[in-house]
Amino acid sequence: MTMQVPDPRIDPHAWARLKPHVRELLIRINRHPRPPMESLPAEQARAAYAAGSGVLEIPATPLPRIENFTIPARDGYLLPARLYAASTEAQGVLPVLLFFHGGGFLVGSVDTHDTLCRTLAAQSGCAVVSVDYRLGPEHQFPTAFEDAWDSLAWLHDYGAVLGLDPARLAVGGDSAGGTLAAGCAVQARDTGLPLRLQLLFYPGMQAAALTPSRARYAYGFLLTEPQIQWMFNSYVGSEEQFLDWRFAPVHAHDVDGLAPAWIGLAECDPIVDDSMMWADRLRMAGVPVELEIYHGTIHEFIKMGRALPEALEAHRDAAAALRAALLPELR
């Protein structure tokens, strides 16, 4: 029996790769179609993303320490940031994950990823600092990368004032946030900043739709190829910049000596092959890589824990990777 697909542009063989409960979730989402994100002005797209970002999230984990503060960027702009920690007890300085939210460099915020950061902090025992880097199209490439790097450099130099340990530092993010984290890992290697882990959920790695997954999952799997191109072209201003490693880390001259990586991917995601390119480059350079592919899932699945048990599994796996890298005595 041929499996019916809700959109004639969907590859039936790709649709069949979805786990049944993920397929049903997409069908339910498609019953209430909204204007494609790429058809909206940036501010409306941000509002729409923010309105829907928590619908499928697990309940937010209460934490004893949540602090809002700012980090100065190189031009004096104060980047909003939020610190999460599962303990307020005097236990010395805490290891910390610096987290960058996803959203294609155009949408997303500390608030849209609040539940995920709470979860990582609670389950790992590490502090998490989430940063609102500046977004396009108002702030063009390389602003997001520079904000991300300035945040990491500041945390290394001044994190001790917040009770954070610069010697036990990881960087991470989801989607475009994972891209920024990987770029920061390159810059950290080049400047000698010590980094223990890259924690990357389905990071974007390059713009060109050259990989099989970009064609196989181009339509119908939540993140679409038109949306990807709209986001990238709204942030990046020239073809040369698309090849800059600060936008596309896979184009870095070399990746020798980068921090080890934990990479969590969704199988049915347009950018899964792009993310695999990063894992492969790291492995070929001798960088330790722990790769988890959550079969039958889609982009953004880690923010769908209320509907997808795979999200809960990914939370546990990522937290375990953080503990292993930053709190090895608790493994």
Side-chain angles (χ1 to χ4, degrees), residues 8-30:
R9 296 172 297 180
I10 295 175
D11 178 347
H13 298 289
W15 187 251
R17 291 173 182 254
L18 291 169
K19 287 188 174 178
H21 59 281
V22 180
R23 194 181 304 127
E24 179 57 33
L25 174 63
L26 285 174
I27 290 171
R28 293 203 310 270
I29 291 172
N30 288 329

Side-chain angles (χ1 to χ4, degrees), residues 29-54:
I29 291 172
N30 288 329
R31 285 184 188 140
H32 305 283
R34 301 185 180 106
M37 186 178 287
E38 62 270 21
S39 71
L40 302 174
E43 283 297 332
Q44 290 184 29
R46 288 178 198 136
Y49 181 79
S53 66

